[in-house]
Amino acid sequence: QVQLQESGPGLVKPSQTLSLTCTVSGGSISSGSYYWSWIRQPAGKGLEWIGRIYTSGSTNYNPSLKSRVTISIDTSKNQFSLKLSSVTAADTAVYFCARTDRGSNFDSWGKGTLVTVSS
Amino acid sequence: DVQMTQSPSSLSASVGDRVTITCQASQDINNYLNWYQQKPGKAPNLLIYDASNLKTGVPSRFSGSGSGTDFTFTISSLQPEDIATYFCQQYENLPFTFGPGTNVDIK
């Protein structure tokens, strides 16, 4: 069974770049027709889809974040990554990575990692 | 963006009760709707896809229905382990969007 694990700094200063990596285990990130997504959730609030990447490197981003987001994939390491630039306190959230079946169904999730934006 | 609304925002019911949550989309999304369960401190878990299809391994007391703009999620007999927040998610259009969630508690 595939497992996902987010990693990266838990504290980022305002105006800097948030960087997270999701490591996939229990299966190849290149197998099947899966996309790989990032989703975030501010404390006590709802879920916001950030974007997705296919194994080919093709990406789709949420327009609300598009100017600041980059998602990349490293199939040799079985990982995909998120970079979010020019962060503010509004970017403080739990960040989840998720396998995305049929491009749209988040069927396996990491446990999530809390990223706090503060000086 | 497609806006998703859910009602109620929270509910409290007794063990064995039938629980119903509604989700409404701001435009026609056909049946491109998923339902997730999120327990406190955990990641969401996909329960239903394509509005009414139960994901393998999910108990049959969970069900979904609807098409177009109006959808329903039902727990036929509420169990203590069903205490969670439930979210709908549309995938007719990018960006994918989620409902605000419904908190389900035991009375």
Side-chain angles (χ1 to χ4, degrees):
Chain A
Q1 183 176 348
V2 70
Q3 293 185 316
L4 295 87
Q5 177 68 58
E6 304 89 351
S7 59
L11 181 64
V12 181
K13 293 184 183 331
S15 80
Q16 293 191 341
T17 296
L18 177 160
S19 296
L20 296 174
T21 296
C22 183
T23 301
V24 179
S25 59
S28 170
I29 201 170
S30 300
S31 68
S33 300
Y34 296 111
Y35 283 76
W36 303 89
S37 293
W38 288 96
I39 296 155
R40 69 181 183 179
Q41 185 174 36
K45 296 190 177 180
L47 298 157
E48 180 179 32
W49 177 74
I50 299 170
R52 68 180 183 182
I53 189 166
Y54 193 59
T55 52
S56 64
S58 172
T59 54
N60 300 101
Y61 299 132
N62 192 322
S64 69
L65 299 168
K66 187 174 183 177
S67 64
R68 299 193 291 130
V69 172
T70 302
I71 298 176
S72 58
I73 192 165
D74 186 337
T75 55
S76 67
K77 294 183 178 179
N78 237 31
Q79 295 176 333
F80 63 107
S81 299
L82 168 71
K83 291 188 185 298
L84 181 66
S85 63
S86 305
V87 297
T88 69
D91 296 309
T92 294
V94 175
Y95 286 75
F96 295 99
C97 59
R99 189 179 75 173
T100 311
D101 186 31
R102 297 163 51 193
S104 58
N105 302 346
F106 309 116
D107 67 345
S108 293
W109 296 63
K111 294 181 178 180
T113 188
L114 174 63
V115 179
T116 301
V117 178
S118 175
S119 55
Chain B
D1 297 4
V2 179
Q3 304 301 315
M4 306 300 293
T5 57
Q6 284 182 236
S7 63
S9 58
S10 65
L11 66 89
S12 187
S14 299
V15 172
D17 281 355
R18 183 180 184 88
V19 168
T20 299
I21 299 168
T22 62
C23 175
Q24 188 168 55
S26 61
Q27 65 188 69
D28 189 338
I29 59 170
N30 295 293
N31 68 330
Y32 298 143
L33 186 98
N34 296 326
W35 288 97
Y36 297 85
Q37 175 193 65
Q38 185 178 30
K39 296 184 177 181
K42 302 293 187 183
N45 179 39
L46 177 65
L47 300 180
I48 289 171
Y49 63 96
D50 293 347
S52 61
N53 291 323
L54 204 62
K55 182 186 172 187
T56 300
V58 173
S60 60
R61 64 180 180 274
F62 296 103
S63 65
S65 64
S67 184
T69 60
D70 296 301
F71 302 86
T72 300
F73 172 82
T74 300
I75 307 173
S76 61
S77 177
L78 187 66
Q79 300 301 305
E81 59 267 31
D82 300 336
I83 294 174
T85 301
Y86 293 86
F87 295 94
C88 58
Q89 173 235 332
Q90 70 79 24
Y91 53 96
E92 162 69 20
N93 289 330
L94 291 176
F96 302 135
T97 48
F98 293 84
T102 295
N103 297 317
V104 175
D105 199 359
I106 300 289
K107 192 182 295 182

